Amino acid sequence: MQMQVLTAASSLPRATLLRPAAAEPWCQSFLQLQAPSKRPGIMLHCKAQPQGQETRERRQLDDDEHARPPQGGDDDVAASTSELPYMIESIKSKLRAARNSLGETTVSAYDTAWIALVNRLDGGGERSPQFPEAIDWIARNQLLDGSWGDAGMFIVQDRLINTLGCVVALATWGVHEEQRARGLAYIQDNLWRLGEDDEEWMMVGFEITFPVLLEKAKNLGLDINYDDPALQDIYAKRQLKLAKIPREALHARPTTLLHSLEGMENLDWERLLQFKCPAGSLHSSPAASAYALSETGDKELLEYLETAINNFDGGDGMSYGGLCPVKDIDDTAMAFRLLRLHGYNVSSSVFNHFEKDGEYFCFAGQSSQSLTAMYNSYRASQIVFPGDDDGLEQLRAYCRAFLEERRATGNLRDKWVIANGLPSEVEYALDFPWKASLPRVETRVYLEQYGASEDAWIGKGLYRMTLVNNDLYLEAAKADFTNFQRLSRLEWLSLKRNNLQAHGVTEQSVLRAYFLAAANIFEPNRAAERLGWARTAILAEAIASHLRQYSANGAAHGMTERLISGLASHDWDWSLLYALDELIDLHAFGNASDSLREAWKQWLMSWTNESQGSTGGDTALLLVRTIEICSGRHGSAEQSLKNSADYARLEQIASSMCSKLATKILAQNGGSMDNVEGIDQEVDVEMKELIQRVYGSSSNDVSSVTRQTFLDVVKSFCYVAHCSPEIIDGHISKVLFEDVN
């Protein structure tokens, strides 16, 4: 499909072994399973605090409080599991409600001030405000220091432009003299700070709109030093920017300049009004829309502002830009990635709209590059299909170079958002490509990167997006991850009590095998698949270690034949055979047991004619087949899969990629360096086809979950090949054992 560019708690299952007690020590159960007792979770209390005023999001949660389970008792930590469904339902309810609103942001004092300036449209020549409730909101929401703006974060441009707008609005109607005087004093005392402001975090269009408000203040006779040195640079920037604006282009097509129309003069409104958004606004900007309403009296603009005022109790929130006619690469990249990863075969040609002379931009005519736009574009560029042209590769190279340069200079701040976790997000993306990023690792890291309500967004003033940055999201995510960790630790305790140490299996290797399984298949109801993966990997490593010893004296073939023969005859005269037979009986029943036994035979046969590294591909297929059998999917679809060319190709790609990656891993651990050169490039080419077959295939022969299993296993090989042992150990600790704070 062609994509249109877009704008801005379970317990561990019991395994009963119907086998007589073994007389020999080596016949002790490899699995060492026992039924764990249920243990309580951890209570995570909501710490969300409204910024400056009560938010509708908090009121909604308070309204839903009666639906929550009872609190208190002997052990508050037990509430984690029971509380999570209520958190999720509250989040869903809020998102559903947002469908019928103009957006969910904190109120913008600047935009509200422009709305307050609108003269009554049917006043018959008398001057009175069209929106008196906007005046009331301004009077009610002045901060203690006399300013208006974001109460939780100080950026001088935000405080001054909000305060100047509100003072001008109050002075225009001659009301609330005390608030005007306090606001004016704040401006007088802080105007000099503009000369020291951080240009990286400039308010949008500040150099265009702030001088216009100063001119209004001057006409009202407000006592401000209009010749302050800090203002001279702003005046100069305004003249320079206005000189660069092609007036004909402004009126000919939608541009970002629509967002700051209140800072411009001599406009052709008849031509500009054709660029209104479907909701009736100009570029979803209440200030620009209010200015246009004052100039034109347009009914759609009036209806838009009336709706906004009603939604925000007299103030005005900046709306989302989903229906804006001006497109941007940031939202487009996020949508492209999301759609491709959910099975939509969208075209990569969408990014051609944002390229000129080998460089990429977020908005046409932008004055500086956005870090987050390039970050999101870099992430999107890694979801590549074979049929894509070179555009995505070019985009990835451009964005990576930009991000690396910003990291090298220590400048990982963005011009549109103030988020303490953003530098860590960018660094993670650069250090771990998508193919080598495991879901639970990425989630655990993001729990520390996500700023929730502490993050602020930069528009014409600072604002918060409560449906994007929300403390309840973080609380729910931490509760969910805590539940995952509790279950994982129980599963790990059962796995580490094995009797395979004599065959080269260490506690660390068991832990790593379990981690790779749990980091991909983490859902509570998929324990059988997760444990099947882990146990198979552990036992395969034990057998492989044993066979490598025989390979040294040329006896590997005979040992392999013995294993295959014993597997077929249920001859348990050897501990590894006993463990293997036990594993098959645990995870498969009936015909599925035969299928799993056959999968192991095929894996064992690979040792008779292949080198150690190349068996990685067969190990990958063994893992895939085990996961599918443990899930129950393989048995019901086995016959159709045998005849499926699509399934056969998935096996071929996965085997080829993992064979190459296993060779690279072996070389990194001191093995032969032969045939290692060029592996990464070859794997990248095959990864494109695998991604397309997993997310872009129209065939119904193979289920989407089975396709995902192939990708999960391949990505685990990519991860091990990409990461040093120290990094992997650090991720194991963070994902499984470090409590989420």
Side-chain angles (χ1 to χ4, degrees):
M1 68 187 266
Q2 289 292 319
M3 178 181 172
Q4 191 176 24
V5 288
L6 301 179
T7 55
S10 301
S11 60
L12 191 68
R14 179 191 301 271
T16 304
L17 300 179
L18 303 177
R19 185 190 303 278
E24 300 298 331
W26 54 259
C27 285
Q28 295 176 6
S29 175
F30 152 61
L31 299 171
Q32 291 288 320
L33 288 181
Q34 61 183 15
S37 59
K38 292 186 177 180
R39 303 201 309 185
I42 295 177
M43 176 62 185
L44 295 173
H45 296 284
C46 182
K47 299 179 181 178
Q49 296 294 332
Q51 292 289 330
Q53 61 241 325
E54 184 182 47
T55 62
R56 289 188 293 157
E57 166 250 344
R58 174 48 50 201
R59 292 203 299 270
Q60 174 70 38
L61 297 184
D62 292 341
D63 292 342
D64 292 343
E65 194 68 28
H66 68 277
R68 292 174 178 248
Q71 300 299 304
D74 295 334
D75 195 349
D76 279 350
V77 297
S80 176
T81 299
S82 60
E83 186 84 348
L84 185 56
Y86 297 89
M87 298 183 199
I88 294 173
E89 185 53 42
S90 179
I91 292 170
K92 287 181 177 179
S93 176
K94 188 65 176 176
L95 293 174
R96 285 192 292 264
R99 294 175 182 174
N100 299 320
S101 73
L102 291 177
E104 290 285 333
T105 72
T106 50
V107 177
S108 165
Y110 170 83
D111 288 276
T112 303
W114 276 97
I115 293 174
L117 287 171
V118 178
N119 188 36
R120 190 162 188 84
L121 301 180
D122 59 354
E126 295 184 11
R127 285 187 53 77
S128 61
Q130 174 70 29
F131 301 102
E133 57 267 61
I135 298 289
D136 294 338
W137 185 94
I138 291 172
R140 296 196 313 267
N141 286 276
Q142 188 174 27
L143 302 180
L144 293 177
D145 61 2
S147 69
W148 283 266
D150 190 281
M153 184 176 295
F154 179 84
I155 300 291
V156 67
Q157 287 190 1
D158 169 68
R159 291 296 183 88
L160 285 176
I161 197 166
N162 280 291
T163 303
L164 181 58
C166 289
V167 168
V168 166
L170 296 179
T172 296
W173 303 112
V175 295
H176 301 294
E177 183 175 352
E178 181 183 349
Q179 282 97 328
R180 279 171 18 215
R182 293 176 58 219
L184 187 59
Y186 182 89
I187 295 171
Q188 294 166 340
D189 292 342
N190 291 275
L191 200 59
W192 64 272
R193 295 180 183 273
L194 287 174
E196 299 182 356
D197 209 15
D198 188 342
E199 291 199 4
E200 191 67 44
W201 286 336
M202 289 185 64
M203 300 302 109
V204 174
F206 183 84
E207 71 276 25
I208 297 294
T209 55
F210 193 69
V212 170
L213 287 175
L214 285 171
E215 186 65 24
K216 287 181 178 293
K218 188 174 183 179
N219 293 337
L220 289 167
L222 297 179
D223 185 14
I224 297 174
N225 182 7
Y226 299 98
D227 295 323
D228 190 295
L231 297 178
Q232 302 310 307
D233 183 51
I234 296 175
Y235 294 146
K237 286 181 178 178
R238 183 174 195 271
Q239 295 304 318
L240 181 62
K241 188 162 187 176
L242 289 177
K244 290 182 177 180
I245 296 175
R247 305 294 288 184
E248 180 57 32
L250 171 63
H251 294 86
R253 61 181 181 276
T255 70
T256 55
L257 295 172
L258 292 172
H259 195 66
S260 303
L261 286 180
E262 71 272 19
M264 301 181 193
E265 300 171 339
N266 303 320
L267 299 173
D268 186 340
W269 289 108
E270 183 177 354
R271 298 177 66 186
L272 288 174
L273 289 181
Q274 66 179 314
F275 303 135
K276 287 183 298 184
C277 298
S281 73
L282 281 169
H283 206 282
S284 292
S285 168
S289 300
Y291 176 53
L293 176 62
S294 296
E295 296 292 316
T296 67
D298 182 82
K299 291 183 179 180
E300 289 185 346
L301 290 170
L302 176 62
E303 291 173 359
Y304 162 75
L305 292 173
E306 286 177 338
T307 302
I309 285 287
N310 291 333
N311 275 7
F312 292 92
D313 193 23
D316 190 86
M318 296 174 61
S319 304
Y320 293 130
L323 300 177
C324 286
V326 181
K327 316 305 179 183
D328 67 86
I329 198 174
D330 197 3
D331 291 287
T332 297
M334 288 187 285
F336 174 86
R337 185 175 186 270
L338 183 69
L339 290 171
R340 277 215 165 172
L341 291 179
H342 285 79
Y344 294 89
N345 192 10
V346 292
S347 172
S348 62
S349 62
V350 68
F351 293 104
N352 296 340
H353 295 273
F354 307 101
E355 185 271 334
K356 183 178 181 181
D357 299 329
E359 296 187 357
Y360 289 85
F361 54 85
C362 187
F363 289 111
Q366 65 186 23
S367 58
S368 61
Q369 190 60 274
S370 163
L371 181 78
T372 51
M374 294 299 98
Y375 161 71
N376 284 317
S377 297
Y378 176 67
R379 297 179 76 208
S381 67
Q382 299 178 59
I383 314 301
V384 190
F385 290 173
D388 293 328
D389 56 26
D390 295 335
L392 280 185
E393 299 291 350
Q394 180 179 321
L395 176 64
R396 175 162 51 175
Y398 178 86
C399 293
R400 184 173 183 88
F402 172 83
L403 296 173
E404 289 283 18
E405 189 275 331
R406 291 287 290 265
R407 175 159 70 169
T409 58
N411 182 13
L412 290 177
R413 295 186 297 182
D414 187 50
K415 66 179 184 178
W416 287 328
V417 63
I418 301 175
N420 290 333
L422 180 58
S424 177
E425 283 191 65
V426 174
E427 289 176 343
Y428 182 88
L430 291 173
D431 293 339
F432 300 95
W434 178 81
K435 68 179 181 181
S437 178
L438 305 185
R440 286 282 96 169
V441 174
E442 189 168 348
T443 298
R444 181 63 178 85
V445 172
Y446 191 62
L447 287 176
E448 298 175 355
Q449 297 165 343
Y450 180 65
S453 63
E454 294 182 2
D455 290 352
W457 294 80
I458 302 173
K460 296 174 186 177
L462 295 180
Y463 64 101
R464 314 297 176 115
M465 292 200 289
T466 58
L467 291 183
V468 176
N469 305 103
N470 189 297
D471 289 339
L472 185 59
Y473 297 173
L474 185 58
E475 181 188 5
K478 286 182 176 181
D480 177 72
F481 206 92
T482 297
N483 291 340
F484 160 77
Q485 286 183 319
R486 186 177 70 251
L487 179 59
S488 295
R489 292 167 190 173
L490 290 172
E491 293 176 348
W492 157 239
L493 286 175
S494 75
L495 285 175
K496 76 174 184 178
R497 292 191 294 267
N498 64 77
N499 295 285
L500 295 175
Q501 292 85 353
H503 300 286
V505 175
T506 65
E507 183 173 302
Q508 185 62 26
S509 64
V510 174
L511 179 58
R512 184 169 294 186
Y514 175 72
F515 163 72
L516 292 175
N520 283 284
I521 300 176
F522 51 85
E523 298 87 345
N525 62 347
R526 299 183 67 190
E529 298 163 68
R530 178 168 55 251
L531 292 170
W533 178 339
R535 291 177 180 134
T536 298
I538 294 166
L539 186 54
E541 177 54 33
I543 295 174
S545 176
H546 200 82
L547 291 176
R548 290 188 192 103
Q549 298 177 14
Y550 282 88
S551 295
N553 54 26
H557 182 82
M559 183 53 61
T560 302
E561 291 295 333
R562 178 186 172 189
L563 282 167
I564 294 174
S565 175
L567 185 63
S569 63
H570 296 264
D571 182 4
W572 306 330
D573 66 343
W574 189 26
S575 60
L576 287 178
L577 275 173
Y578 179 89
L580 179 54
D581 197 72
E582 182 185 46
L583 177 67
I584 293 172
D585 286 349
L586 174 68
H587 287 292
F589 304 93
N591 293 336
S593 175
D594 295 337
S595 298
L596 188 54
R597 200 174 299 274
E598 181 61 29
W600 273 99
K601 287 180 183 179
Q602 293 180 22
W603 181 79
L604 288 168
M605 291 177 62
S606 69
W607 282 87
T608 63
N609 52 16
E610 296 187 15
S611 65
Q612 296 176 18
S614 60
T615 58
D618 296 281
T619 300
L621 296 185
L622 175 62
L623 292 175
V624 169
R625 292 163 182 165
T626 300
I627 294 167
E628 290 300 295
I629 290 171
C630 290
S631 72
R633 292 186 295 271
H634 186 275
S636 61
E638 182 177 8
Q639 189 59 44
S640 62
L641 291 178
K642 287 181 179 179
N643 301 322
S644 169
D646 194 12
Y647 187 85
R649 184 55 186 160
L650 283 167
E651 288 196 321
Q652 291 170 4
I653 300 170
S655 177
S656 175
M657 294 177 70
C658 292
S659 289
K660 295 181 177 71
L661 291 165
T663 300
K664 180 180 178 180
I665 295 168
L666 193 64
Q668 291 171 340
N669 293 329
S672 172
M673 297 297 293
D674 295 341
N675 303 318
V676 173
E677 185 177 357
I679 279 182
D680 289 339
Q681 291 81 0
E682 294 173 9
V683 167
D684 284 345
V685 171
E686 291 176 310
M687 179 60 83
K688 293 179 183 179
E689 182 180 354
L690 181 59
I691 293 173
Q692 185 177 43
R693 288 186 175 273
V694 172
Y695 296 122
S697 175
S698 59
S699 171
N700 295 321
D701 291 350
V702 185
S703 73
S704 60
V705 183
T706 298
R707 295 176 190 276
Q708 186 65 46
T709 299
F710 279 99
L711 183 61
D712 288 342
V713 171
V714 170
K715 287 186 70 173
S716 72
F717 275 74
C718 290
Y719 171 82
V720 175
H722 179 78
C723 299
S724 67
E726 293 76 18
I727 288 177
I728 296 175
D729 290 343
H731 285 167
I732 291 174
S733 177
K734 184 173 287 290
V735 170
L736 298 181
F737 302 115
E738 293 180 19
D739 291 340
V740 178
N741 297 320

Coordinates of all heavy atoms in Angstrom, one line a residue, residues 381-424:
S381 N 14.3 3.6 9.3 CA 15.1 3.2 8.2 C 15.7 1.7 8.3 O 16.2 1.2 7.3 CB 16.3 4.1 7.9 OG 17.2 4.1 9.0
Q382 N 15.6 1.1 9.5 CA 16.1 -0.2 9.6 C 15.1 -1.3 9.3 O 15.4 -2.5 9.3 CB 16.6 -0.4 11.1 CG 17.8 0.6 11.4 CD 18.2 0.5 12.9 OE1 18.6 -0.6 13.3 NE2 18.1 1.6 13.6
I383 N 13.8 -0.9 9.1 CA 12.8 -1.9 8.8 C 12.7 -1.9 7.2 O 11.8 -1.4 6.6 CB 11.5 -1.5 9.4 CG1 11.7 -1.1 10.9 CG2 10.5 -2.7 9.3 CD1 12.3 -2.2 11.7
V384 N 13.7 -2.6 6.6 CA 13.8 -2.6 5.2 C 13.4 -3.9 4.5 O 13.6 -5.0 5.1 CB 15.3 -2.4 4.8 CG1 15.5 -2.1 3.3 CG2 15.9 -1.2 5.7
F385 N 12.7 -3.8 3.4 CA 12.3 -4.9 2.6 C 13.2 -5.0 1.4 O 13.8 -4.0 0.9 CB 10.8 -4.7 2.1 CG 9.8 -4.9 3.2 CD1 8.5 -4.6 2.9 CD2 10.1 -5.3 4.4 CE1 7.5 -4.7 3.8 CE2 9.1 -5.4 5.4 CZ 7.8 -5.1 5.1
P386 N 13.3 -6.2 0.8 CA 14.2 -6.3 -0.4 C 13.8 -5.4 -1.6 O 14.6 -4.9 -2.3 CB 14.0 -7.8 -0.8 CG 13.6 -8.4 0.5 CD 12.8 -7.5 1.2
G387 N 12.5 -5.1 -1.7 CA 12.0 -4.3 -2.8 C 12.2 -2.8 -2.7 O 12.0 -2.0 -3.6
D388 N 12.6 -2.4 -1.5 CA 12.8 -1.0 -1.3 C 14.0 -0.5 -2.1 O 15.0 -1.2 -2.3 CB 13.1 -0.7 0.2 CG 11.9 -1.0 1.1 OD1 10.8 -0.8 0.6 OD2 12.1 -1.3 2.3
D389 N 13.9 0.8 -2.6 CA 15.0 1.3 -3.3 C 16.1 1.7 -2.3 O 16.0 1.4 -1.1 CB 14.6 2.6 -4.1 CG 13.9 3.6 -3.3 OD1 14.2 3.7 -2.1 OD2 13.1 4.4 -3.9
D390 N 17.1 2.4 -2.8 CA 18.3 2.8 -1.9 C 17.9 3.9 -1.0 O 18.8 4.3 -0.2 CB 19.5 3.2 -2.8 CG 20.0 2.0 -3.6 OD1 19.8 0.9 -3.1 OD2 20.6 2.2 -4.6
G391 N 16.7 4.4 -1.1 CA 16.3 5.6 -0.2 C 16.5 5.3 1.3 O 17.0 6.2 2.0
L392 N 16.0 4.1 1.7 CA 16.1 3.9 3.1 C 17.5 3.7 3.6 O 17.9 4.1 4.7 CB 15.3 2.6 3.5 CG 13.8 2.7 3.6 CD1 13.1 1.4 4.1 CD2 13.4 3.8 4.6
E393 N 18.3 3.1 2.8 CA 19.8 3.0 3.1 C 20.4 4.3 3.2 O 21.2 4.6 4.1 CB 20.5 2.1 2.1 CG 20.0 0.7 2.0 CD 20.3 -0.2 3.2 OE1 21.1 0.3 4.1 OE2 19.8 -1.3 3.3
Q394 N 20.0 5.2 2.3 CA 20.6 6.6 2.3 C 20.1 7.3 3.5 O 20.9 8.1 4.1 CB 20.1 7.3 1.0 CG 20.6 8.7 0.9 CD 20.2 9.4 -0.4 OE1 20.1 8.7 -1.5 NE2 19.8 10.6 -0.3
L395 N 18.8 7.1 3.8 CA 18.3 7.8 5.0 C 19.0 7.3 6.3 O 19.3 8.1 7.2 CB 16.8 7.5 5.1 CG 16.0 8.0 6.4 CD1 16.1 9.6 6.4 CD2 14.6 7.5 6.4
R396 N 19.2 6.0 6.4 CA 19.8 5.5 7.6 C 21.2 6.0 7.7 O 21.7 6.4 8.8 CB 19.9 3.9 7.5 CG 20.7 3.3 8.7 CD 20.4 1.9 8.9 NE 20.5 1.1 7.7 CZ 20.4 -0.3 7.7 NH1 20.2 -0.9 8.8 NH2 20.5 -1.0 6.6
A397 N 22.0 6.1 6.6 CA 23.4 6.6 6.7 C 23.4 8.1 7.1 O 24.2 8.5 7.9 CB 24.0 6.4 5.3
Y398 N 22.5 8.8 6.5 CA 22.4 10.3 6.8 C 22.1 10.5 8.3 O 22.7 11.3 9.0 CB 21.4 11.0 5.9 CG 21.2 12.4 6.2 CD1 22.1 13.4 5.6 CD2 20.3 12.9 7.1 CE1 21.9 14.7 5.9 CE2 20.1 14.3 7.4 CZ 21.0 15.2 6.8 OH 20.9 16.5 7.1
C399 N 21.0 9.8 8.8 CA 20.6 10.0 10.2 C 21.7 9.5 11.1 O 21.9 10.1 12.2 CB 19.3 9.3 10.4 SG 17.9 9.9 9.5
R400 N 22.3 8.4 10.9 CA 23.3 7.9 11.8 C 24.5 8.8 11.9 O 25.0 9.1 12.9 CB 23.8 6.5 11.3 CG 24.8 5.9 12.3 CD 25.2 4.5 12.1 NE 26.0 4.0 13.1 CZ 25.7 3.4 14.3 NH1 24.4 3.2 14.5 NH2 26.5 3.1 15.2
A401 N 24.9 9.4 10.7 CA 26.0 10.3 10.7 C 25.6 11.6 11.6 O 26.5 12.1 12.3 CB 26.4 10.7 9.3
F402 N 24.4 12.0 11.4 CA 24.0 13.2 12.2 C 24.0 12.9 13.7 O 24.5 13.7 14.5 CB 22.6 13.6 11.7 CG 21.9 14.7 12.5 CD1 22.2 16.0 12.3 CD2 21.1 14.4 13.6 CE1 21.7 17.0 13.1 CE2 20.5 15.3 14.4 CZ 20.8 16.7 14.1
L403 N 23.4 11.7 14.0 CA 23.3 11.4 15.4 C 24.7 11.1 16.1 O 24.9 11.5 17.2 CB 22.4 10.2 15.6 CG 20.9 10.4 15.2 CD1 20.2 9.0 15.3 CD2 20.2 11.4 16.1
E404 N 25.5 10.5 15.3 CA 26.9 10.2 15.8 C 27.6 11.6 16.0 O 28.4 11.7 17.0 CB 27.7 9.3 14.8 CG 27.2 7.9 14.8 CD 27.7 7.1 16.0 OE1 28.1 7.7 17.0 OE2 27.7 5.8 15.9
E405 N 27.5 12.5 15.1 CA 28.1 13.8 15.3 C 27.6 14.5 16.5 O 28.4 15.1 17.3 CB 27.9 14.6 14.0 CG 28.7 15.9 14.0 CD 28.1 17.1 14.7 OE1 26.8 17.1 14.8 OE2 28.8 18.0 15.2
R406 N 26.3 14.5 16.7 CA 25.7 15.1 17.9 C 26.2 14.4 19.2 O 26.4 15.1 20.2 CB 24.2 15.1 17.8 CG 23.6 16.0 16.7 CD 23.7 17.5 17.0 NE 22.8 17.8 18.1 CZ 21.6 18.3 17.9 NH1 21.1 18.5 16.7 NH2 20.9 18.7 18.9
R407 N 26.3 13.1 19.1 CA 26.8 12.4 20.3 C 28.3 12.8 20.6 O 28.7 13.0 21.8 CB 26.7 10.9 20.2 CG 27.3 10.1 21.3 CD 26.8 8.7 21.5 NE 27.2 7.8 20.5 CZ 27.1 6.5 20.6 NH1 26.5 6.0 21.7 NH2 27.5 5.7 19.6
A408 N 29.1 12.9 19.6 CA 30.5 13.2 19.7 C 30.7 14.6 20.3 O 31.7 14.8 21.1 CB 31.2 13.1 18.4
T409 N 29.8 15.5 20.0 CA 29.9 16.9 20.6 C 29.2 17.0 21.9 O 29.1 18.1 22.4 CB 29.4 17.9 19.5 OG1 28.0 17.6 19.2 CG2 30.2 17.8 18.3
G410 N 28.5 16.0 22.4 CA 27.8 16.0 23.6 C 26.5 16.8 23.5 O 26.0 17.3 24.6
N411 N 26.0 17.0 22.3 CA 24.8 17.7 22.1 C 23.6 16.8 21.7 O 23.3 16.7 20.5 CB 25.0 18.8 21.1 CG 23.8 19.7 20.9 OD1 22.8 19.7 21.7 ND2 23.8 20.5 19.9
L412 N 23.0 16.2 22.7 CA 21.9 15.3 22.4 C 20.6 15.9 22.9 O 19.7 15.2 23.5 CB 22.1 13.9 23.0 CG 23.2 13.1 22.3 CD1 23.5 11.8 23.0 CD2 22.9 12.9 20.8
R413 N 20.4 17.2 22.7 CA 19.1 17.8 23.1 C 18.3 18.1 21.8 O 18.9 18.3 20.8 CB 19.4 19.1 23.9 CG 20.0 18.9 25.2 CD 20.2 20.1 26.1 NE 21.0 21.1 25.4 CZ 21.3 22.3 25.9 NH1 20.8 22.6 27.1 NH2 22.1 23.1 25.3
D414 N 17.0 18.2 22.0 CA 16.2 18.4 20.9 C 15.5 19.8 21.0 O 15.3 20.3 22.1 CB 15.1 17.3 20.8 CG 14.3 17.4 19.5 OD1 14.9 17.5 18.4 OD2 13.0 17.4 19.6
K415 N 15.1 20.3 19.8 CA 14.5 21.7 19.8 C 13.0 21.6 20.1 O 12.4 22.7 20.3 CB 14.7 22.4 18.5 CG 14.1 21.7 17.3 CD 14.4 22.5 16.0 CE 13.7 22.0 14.8 NZ 14.0 22.8 13.6
W416 N 12.4 20.4 20.2 CA 11.0 20.3 20.4 C 10.6 19.7 21.7 O 9.4 19.7 22.1 CB 10.3 19.6 19.2 CG 10.3 20.4 18.0 CD1 10.1 21.7 17.9 CD2 10.3 19.9 16.7 NE1 10.1 22.1 16.6 CE2 10.3 21.0 15.8 CE3 10.5 18.6 16.1 CZ2 10.3 20.9 14.4 CZ3 10.5 18.5 14.7 CH2 10.4 19.7 13.9
V417 N 11.5 19.0 22.4 CA 11.2 18.4 23.7 C 12.3 18.5 24.6 O 13.5 18.4 24.2 CB 10.8 16.9 23.4 CG1 12.0 16.1 22.9 CG2 10.2 16.2 24.7
I418 N 12.0 18.7 25.9 CA 13.0 18.7 27.0 C 12.8 17.4 27.8 O 11.8 17.3 28.5 CB 12.9 19.9 27.8 CG1 13.0 21.2 27.0 CG2 13.9 19.9 29.0 CD1 12.7 22.5 27.8
A419 N 13.7 16.4 27.5 CA 13.5 15.1 28.2 C 14.9 14.6 28.6 O 15.8 14.5 27.8 CB 12.9 14.1 27.2
N420 N 15.0 14.4 29.9 CA 16.3 13.9 30.4 C 16.7 12.6 29.9 O 17.9 12.3 29.8 CB 16.2 13.8 32.0 CG 16.1 15.2 32.6 OD1 16.6 16.2 32.0 ND2 15.5 15.3 33.8
G421 N 15.8 11.8 29.5 CA 16.1 10.4 29.0 C 16.4 10.4 27.5 O 16.9 9.3 27.0
L422 N 16.3 11.5 26.8 CA 16.5 11.5 25.3 C 17.9 11.1 24.9 O 18.1 10.3 24.0 CB 16.1 12.8 24.7 CG 16.3 12.9 23.2 CD1 15.5 11.9 22.5 CD2 15.9 14.3 22.7
P423 N 19.0 11.6 25.6 CA 20.3 11.2 25.2 C 20.5 9.7 25.3 O 21.2 9.1 24.4 CB 21.2 12.0 26.2 CG 20.4 13.2 26.5 CD 19.0 12.7 26.6
S424 N 20.0 9.1 26.3 CA 20.1 7.6 26.5 C 19.4 6.9 25.4 O 19.8 5.9 24.9 CB 19.6 7.2 27.9 OG 19.6 5.8 28.0

